[in-house]
Amino acid sequence: MDVIISNCVVNLAPDKLKVFQEAYRVLKPNGRLMMSDLVTEGELPENVRNSFDAWAGCIAGALEKGEYLEKIKQAGFTNVRIVSQKPYTIDVSPQLRGKIVSIQVEAHKNSPSPT
């Protein structure tokens, strides 16, 4: 694959690093990953993490923004950068206002070095 585009589904996976590793595996050298997902700024309350409604809304599985970006890098991607971000406010309870952010991330799979 040349490009992988994902829109807010990684949060549903329990092992996000494995998702990013698989994306890296299937991309061709010089391939690109474009992700849109929800992340947190700070910890979510335990009752939100355990809420079925919050899981269905892709909130309960959200990682902290720095951790999310680090997992993409751990999978092997380079030039990982946020290209857009904005507060997520759709159906967010008062206790979560300002803690959920929608980000769009771009990352690249470099071509292997000649040996």
Short mmCIF file of all heavy atoms in Angstrom, two decimals, residues 36-74:
data_model
loop_
_atom_site.label_atom_id
_atom_site.label_comp_id
_atom_site.label_asym_id
_atom_site.label_seq_id
_atom_site.Cartn_x
_atom_site.Cartn_y
_atom_site.Cartn_z
N SER A 36 -6.79 10.12 11.71
CA SER A 36 -7.61 11.05 12.47
C SER A 36 -8.11 10.27 13.66
O SER A 36 -8.63 9.16 13.51
CB SER A 36 -8.77 11.54 11.60
OG SER A 36 -9.63 12.35 12.37
N ASP A 37 -7.93 10.82 14.84
CA ASP A 37 -8.35 10.09 16.03
C ASP A 37 -8.57 11.05 17.19
O ASP A 37 -8.18 12.21 17.13
CB ASP A 37 -7.30 9.06 16.44
CG ASP A 37 -7.89 7.69 16.70
OD1 ASP A 37 -9.04 7.62 17.19
OD2 ASP A 37 -7.23 6.69 16.40
N LEU A 38 -9.19 10.53 18.24
CA LEU A 38 -9.37 11.30 19.46
C LEU A 38 -8.26 10.91 20.43
O LEU A 38 -7.93 9.73 20.56
CB LEU A 38 -10.73 11.01 20.10
CG LEU A 38 -11.95 11.37 19.27
CD1 LEU A 38 -13.22 10.98 20.03
CD2 LEU A 38 -11.96 12.83 18.91
N VAL A 39 -7.70 11.89 21.09
CA VAL A 39 -6.69 11.68 22.12
C VAL A 39 -7.10 12.51 23.34
O VAL A 39 -8.01 13.33 23.27
CB VAL A 39 -5.28 12.08 21.64
CG1 VAL A 39 -4.81 11.18 20.50
CG2 VAL A 39 -5.21 13.55 21.24
N THR A 40 -6.41 12.28 24.43
CA THR A 40 -6.72 13.03 25.65
C THR A 40 -5.59 13.98 25.99
O THR A 40 -4.45 13.80 25.56
CB THR A 40 -6.95 12.09 26.85
OG1 THR A 40 -5.72 11.45 27.19
CG2 THR A 40 -8.01 11.06 26.55
N GLU A 41 -5.95 14.97 26.74
CA GLU A 41 -4.97 15.86 27.37
C GLU A 41 -5.20 15.68 28.86
O GLU A 41 -6.07 16.31 29.44
CB GLU A 41 -5.15 17.29 26.89
CG GLU A 41 -4.77 17.42 25.42
CD GLU A 41 -4.68 18.86 24.94
OE1 GLU A 41 -5.36 19.74 25.51
OE2 GLU A 41 -3.94 19.08 23.98
N GLY A 42 -4.46 14.74 29.43
CA GLY A 42 -4.66 14.37 30.82
C GLY A 42 -5.41 13.05 30.92
O GLY A 42 -5.90 12.52 29.92
N GLU A 43 -5.48 12.54 32.13
CA GLU A 43 -6.13 11.26 32.38
C GLU A 43 -7.65 11.39 32.35
O GLU A 43 -8.20 12.38 32.81
CB GLU A 43 -5.71 10.72 33.75
CG GLU A 43 -4.30 10.18 33.78
CD GLU A 43 -4.16 8.89 32.99
OE1 GLU A 43 -5.02 8.00 33.10
OE2 GLU A 43 -3.18 8.81 32.24
N LEU A 44 -8.29 10.35 31.84
CA LEU A 44 -9.75 10.29 31.89
C LEU A 44 -10.16 9.65 33.21
O LEU A 44 -9.49 8.75 33.72
CB LEU A 44 -10.29 9.45 30.74
CG LEU A 44 -10.09 10.00 29.34
CD1 LEU A 44 -10.68 9.04 28.31
CD2 LEU A 44 -10.72 11.37 29.20
N PRO A 45 -11.30 10.07 33.76
CA PRO A 45 -11.79 9.44 34.99
C PRO A 45 -12.07 7.95 34.77
O PRO A 45 -12.43 7.53 33.67
CB PRO A 45 -13.09 10.20 35.28
CG PRO A 45 -13.00 11.47 34.51
CD PRO A 45 -12.14 11.17 33.32
N GLU A 46 -11.92 7.16 35.81
CA GLU A 46 -12.12 5.71 35.74
C GLU A 46 -13.52 5.35 35.26
O GLU A 46 -13.69 4.41 34.48
CB GLU A 46 -11.85 5.08 37.11
CG GLU A 46 -11.78 3.57 37.09
CD GLU A 46 -10.58 3.03 36.30
OE1 GLU A 46 -9.55 3.72 36.19
OE2 GLU A 46 -10.70 1.91 35.77
N ASN A 47 -14.53 6.10 35.70
CA ASN A 47 -15.90 5.78 35.28
C ASN A 47 -16.07 5.97 33.76
O ASN A 47 -16.84 5.26 33.13
CB ASN A 47 -16.93 6.61 36.04
CG ASN A 47 -16.85 8.10 35.74
OD1 ASN A 47 -15.76 8.67 35.66
ND2 ASN A 47 -17.99 8.73 35.61
N VAL A 48 -15.32 6.87 33.16
CA VAL A 48 -15.38 7.05 31.71
C VAL A 48 -14.65 5.90 31.02
O VAL A 48 -15.14 5.33 30.04
CB VAL A 48 -14.76 8.41 31.29
CG1 VAL A 48 -14.66 8.53 29.78
CG2 VAL A 48 -15.58 9.56 31.87
N ARG A 49 -13.49 5.53 31.53
CA ARG A 49 -12.72 4.41 30.95
C ARG A 49 -13.52 3.11 30.95
O ARG A 49 -13.30 2.25 30.10
CB ARG A 49 -11.41 4.20 31.72
CG ARG A 49 -10.41 5.29 31.52
CD ARG A 49 -9.38 4.84 30.52
NE ARG A 49 -8.42 5.90 30.31
CZ ARG A 49 -8.07 6.31 29.10
NH1 ARG A 49 -8.58 5.77 28.04
NH2 ARG A 49 -7.19 7.26 28.96
N ASN A 50 -14.41 2.95 31.91
CA ASN A 50 -15.19 1.72 32.02
C ASN A 50 -16.59 1.81 31.42
O ASN A 50 -17.37 0.87 31.52
CB ASN A 50 -15.32 1.32 33.50
CG ASN A 50 -13.98 0.95 34.09
OD1 ASN A 50 -13.14 0.36 33.41
ND2 ASN A 50 -13.75 1.30 35.34
N SER A 51 -16.91 2.92 30.79
CA SER A 51 -18.25 3.14 30.25
C SER A 51 -18.39 2.56 28.85
O SER A 51 -17.60 2.86 27.95
CB SER A 51 -18.52 4.65 30.20
OG SER A 51 -19.62 4.93 29.36
N PHE A 52 -19.43 1.72 28.65
CA PHE A 52 -19.69 1.17 27.32
C PHE A 52 -20.02 2.28 26.33
O PHE A 52 -19.61 2.24 25.17
CB PHE A 52 -20.83 0.15 27.37
CG PHE A 52 -20.46 -1.12 28.08
CD1 PHE A 52 -21.21 -1.57 29.16
CD2 PHE A 52 -19.38 -1.88 27.67
CE1 PHE A 52 -20.87 -2.74 29.81
CE2 PHE A 52 -19.04 -3.05 28.31
CZ PHE A 52 -19.78 -3.48 29.39
N ASP A 53 -20.77 3.27 26.78
CA ASP A 53 -21.11 4.40 25.90
C ASP A 53 -19.85 5.16 25.48
O ASP A 53 -19.72 5.56 24.32
CB ASP A 53 -22.08 5.36 26.59
CG ASP A 53 -23.48 4.79 26.72
OD1 ASP A 53 -23.81 3.85 25.96
OD2 ASP A 53 -24.24 5.27 27.58
N ALA A 54 -18.93 5.35 26.40
CA ALA A 54 -17.68 6.06 26.07
C ALA A 54 -16.81 5.22 25.14
O ALA A 54 -16.11 5.77 24.28
CB ALA A 54 -16.93 6.41 27.35
N TRP A 55 -16.86 3.90 25.28
CA TRP A 55 -16.13 3.03 24.33
C TRP A 55 -16.74 3.14 22.94
O TRP A 55 -16.04 3.28 21.94
CB TRP A 55 -16.11 1.57 24.79
CG TRP A 55 -14.96 1.28 25.69
CD1 TRP A 55 -14.98 1.19 27.04
CD2 TRP A 55 -13.59 1.08 25.30
NE1 TRP A 55 -13.72 0.95 27.52
CE2 TRP A 55 -12.85 0.87 26.47
CE3 TRP A 55 -12.93 1.06 24.07
CZ2 TRP A 55 -11.48 0.64 26.46
CZ3 TRP A 55 -11.56 0.83 24.05
CH2 TRP A 55 -10.86 0.62 25.24
N ALA A 56 -18.06 3.08 22.87
CA ALA A 56 -18.75 3.17 21.58
C ALA A 56 -18.50 4.52 20.92
O ALA A 56 -18.46 4.62 19.69
CB ALA A 56 -20.25 2.95 21.77
N GLY A 57 -18.29 5.56 21.72
CA GLY A 57 -18.02 6.89 21.19
C GLY A 57 -16.54 7.17 20.96
O GLY A 57 -16.16 8.30 20.70
N CYS A 58 -15.71 6.13 21.06
CA CYS A 58 -14.26 6.24 20.82
C CYS A 58 -13.54 7.14 21.82
O CYS A 58 -12.46 7.65 21.53
CB CYS A 58 -13.96 6.72 19.39
SG CYS A 58 -14.43 5.52 18.14
N ILE A 59 -14.13 7.34 22.98
CA ILE A 59 -13.51 8.19 23.99
C ILE A 59 -12.77 7.35 25.03
O ILE A 59 -11.63 7.65 25.38
CB ILE A 59 -14.55 9.11 24.65
CG1 ILE A 59 -15.03 10.15 23.62
CG2 ILE A 59 -13.98 9.81 25.88
CD1 ILE A 59 -16.16 11.01 24.07
N ALA A 60 -13.39 6.28 25.52
CA ALA A 60 -12.80 5.49 26.60
C ALA A 60 -11.45 4.89 26.21
O ALA A 60 -10.57 4.74 27.05
CB ALA A 60 -13.76 4.40 27.05
N GLY A 61 -11.28 4.56 24.95
CA GLY A 61 -10.02 3.95 24.50
C GLY A 61 -8.97 4.95 24.07
O GLY A 61 -7.89 4.56 23.64
N ALA A 62 -9.26 6.23 24.21
CA ALA A 62 -8.31 7.26 23.77
C ALA A 62 -7.06 7.28 24.65
O ALA A 62 -7.14 7.16 25.87
CB ALA A 62 -8.98 8.63 23.79
N LEU A 63 -5.92 7.43 23.99
CA LEU A 63 -4.65 7.58 24.70
C LEU A 63 -4.34 9.05 24.92
O LEU A 63 -4.87 9.92 24.22
CB LEU A 63 -3.51 6.99 23.87
CG LEU A 63 -3.50 5.48 23.64
CD1 LEU A 63 -2.33 5.10 22.75
CD2 LEU A 63 -3.42 4.73 24.96
N GLU A 64 -3.43 9.32 25.83
CA GLU A 64 -2.92 10.67 26.00
C GLU A 64 -2.16 11.01 24.73
O GLU A 64 -1.52 10.15 24.13
CB GLU A 64 -2.02 10.73 27.24
CG GLU A 64 -1.72 12.11 27.75
CD GLU A 64 -0.63 12.82 26.98
OE1 GLU A 64 0.33 12.16 26.56
OE2 GLU A 64 -0.75 14.03 26.76
N LYS A 65 -2.23 12.25 24.28
CA LYS A 65 -1.70 12.67 22.98
C LYS A 65 -0.22 12.27 22.79
O LYS A 65 0.13 11.69 21.77
CB LYS A 65 -1.85 14.18 22.81
CG LYS A 65 -1.33 14.68 21.48
CD LYS A 65 -1.68 16.14 21.17
CE LYS A 65 -1.62 17.08 22.30
NZ LYS A 65 -1.87 18.48 21.92
N GLY A 66 0.61 12.52 23.76
CA GLY A 66 2.03 12.16 23.65
C GLY A 66 2.25 10.66 23.52
O GLY A 66 3.10 10.20 22.76
N GLU A 67 1.47 9.88 24.26
CA GLU A 67 1.57 8.42 24.21
C GLU A 67 1.14 7.90 22.84
O GLU A 67 1.75 6.99 22.27
CB GLU A 67 0.72 7.81 25.31
CG GLU A 67 0.83 6.31 25.41
CD GLU A 67 -0.04 5.71 26.51
OE1 GLU A 67 -0.72 6.46 27.25
OE2 GLU A 67 -0.04 4.47 26.62
N TYR A 68 0.09 8.49 22.28
CA TYR A 68 -0.41 8.10 20.96
C TYR A 68 0.68 8.31 19.91
O TYR A 68 0.99 7.42 19.12
CB TYR A 68 -1.65 8.95 20.65
CG TYR A 68 -2.36 8.60 19.36
CD1 TYR A 68 -3.39 7.67 19.34
CD2 TYR A 68 -2.02 9.22 18.16
CE1 TYR A 68 -4.07 7.36 18.17
CE2 TYR A 68 -2.70 8.92 16.98
CZ TYR A 68 -3.71 7.99 17.00
OH TYR A 68 -4.37 7.68 15.83
N LEU A 69 1.30 9.48 19.92
CA LEU A 69 2.36 9.79 18.94
C LEU A 69 3.58 8.89 19.15
O LEU A 69 4.21 8.45 18.18
CB LEU A 69 2.76 11.26 19.05
CG LEU A 69 1.64 12.27 18.73
CD1 LEU A 69 2.11 13.69 19.05
CD2 LEU A 69 1.18 12.14 17.30
N GLU A 70 3.89 8.60 20.39
CA GLU A 70 5.05 7.74 20.70
C GLU A 70 4.83 6.32 20.18
O GLU A 70 5.75 5.69 19.67
CB GLU A 70 5.31 7.73 22.20
CG GLU A 70 6.58 7.01 22.60
CD GLU A 70 7.84 7.54 21.92
OE1 GLU A 70 7.97 8.76 21.69
OE2 GLU A 70 8.72 6.70 21.59
N LYS A 71 3.62 5.80 20.27
CA LYS A 71 3.34 4.46 19.76
C LYS A 71 3.51 4.40 18.24
O LYS A 71 3.99 3.41 17.70
CB LYS A 71 1.94 4.00 20.17
CG LYS A 71 1.87 3.67 21.65
CD LYS A 71 0.68 2.86 21.99
CE LYS A 71 0.61 2.60 23.48
NZ LYS A 71 1.64 1.70 23.97
N ILE A 72 3.15 5.47 17.54
CA ILE A 72 3.37 5.52 16.09
C ILE A 72 4.86 5.46 15.80
O ILE A 72 5.31 4.72 14.92
CB ILE A 72 2.73 6.79 15.49
CG1 ILE A 72 1.20 6.75 15.65
CG2 ILE A 72 3.09 6.93 14.01
CD1 ILE A 72 0.49 8.04 15.29
N LYS A 73 5.65 6.19 16.56
CA LYS A 73 7.11 6.19 16.38
C LYS A 73 7.70 4.82 16.73
O LYS A 73 8.58 4.31 16.04
CB LYS A 73 7.77 7.27 17.24
CG LYS A 73 7.44 8.67 16.78
CD LYS A 73 7.98 9.70 17.76
CE LYS A 73 7.50 11.10 17.40
NZ LYS A 73 7.89 12.09 18.42
N GLN A 74 7.20 4.20 17.81
CA GLN A 74 7.69 2.88 18.21
C GLN A 74 7.46 1.84 17.12
O GLN A 74 8.21 0.88 17.00
CB GLN A 74 6.99 2.41 19.50
CG GLN A 74 7.44 3.11 20.74
CD GLN A 74 6.61 2.71 21.96
OE1 GLN A 74 5.68 1.90 21.87
NE2 GLN A 74 6.93 3.28 23.10
#
